Amino acid sequence: TAVVDLNWRFAVLQGNGRPGSIDTMVESGGTLYLGGDFELISGVGVPTALRHAVAAVGTDGGLHGWAPALDGPPGARLLRALLSLGNTIYLGGEFTVVNGQFRLGLAAVDAVSSLLVQPPMVVLGETRIRGLATDGTRVFVAGESFGAPLVGAPEIPTSDLTPFQGRDGSVPT
């Protein structure tokens, strides 16, 4: 019995006009945070705007100004995971810079201003963050580091990444 709201839809594109993709999204406080592989976003009554791999839209269909600036190696999937915890949105992916500051694949930004809200999280090079989860007090990360499975949790507020030890190359359940 669901009815599609045709007044609430967005399209994402690459800079060359090719279709982009939304790979992850999270809702927090009436805002839907989108992440994926895109450079432009537009919607019903919303003119095309630059948004590089991240965007925020209201449940009313309006585009928000929230737009952390991500950068990284050419061809890398900059954003793979989003997580909301309180007033913070955690970003995970293959980026190396957020808002002009070095952040290697894991960053925490304010849910309204998109400013960085934690020091750099200590993540080893050759680490790719593919998933984020929370128990309400901790943030858990999943991905791979130097080709091996990685599951860990950054300590807040020091932001040191503590990996959980896997055995025989497998990730603990």
Side-chain angles (χ1 to χ4, degrees):
T1 63
V3 176
V4 175
D5 182 352
L6 296 178
N7 294 316
W8 195 98
R9 68 176 169 218
F10 287 87
V12 292
L13 300 169
Q14 301 294 344
N16 60 9
R18 295 186 63 175
S21 65
I22 296 173
D23 303 321
T24 183
M25 60 183 164
V26 65
E27 188 276 336
S28 179
T31 299
L32 188 60
Y33 298 88
L34 310 173
D37 188 22
F38 57 88
E39 296 175 22
L40 303 166
I41 186 170
S42 63
V44 175
V46 176
T48 301
L50 289 171
R51 295 290 189 274
H52 193 60
V54 292
V57 297
T59 54
D60 62 358
L63 181 65
H64 290 209
W66 186 86
L70 305 183
D71 201 2
R77 193 66 145 210
L78 294 182
L79 189 69
R80 293 186 175 267
L82 290 169
L83 175 76
S84 171
L85 183 58
N87 293 327
T88 302
I89 303 297
Y90 289 86
L91 313 173
E94 298 177 40
F95 53 83
T96 55
V97 174
V98 177
N99 295 339
Q101 296 183 39
F102 183 71
R103 295 292 191 275
L104 192 57
L106 188 58
V109 297
D110 182 80
V112 176
S113 69
S114 68
L115 296 175
L116 290 162
V117 294
Q118 288 182 334
M121 297 186 199
V122 180
V123 179
L124 298 173
E126 296 299 317
T127 297
R128 288 169 175 74
I129 305 300
R130 299 188 184 275
L132 299 169
T134 184
D135 63 2
T137 58
R138 294 178 293 177
V139 173
F140 299 95
V141 301
E144 64 263 355
S145 184
F146 295 97
L150 167 71
V151 175
E155 297 292 330
I156 298 172
T158 63
S159 302
D160 293 329
L161 181 63
T162 303
F164 299 119
Q165 298 301 316
R167 293 185 197 156
D168 303 323
S170 63
V171 174
T173 55

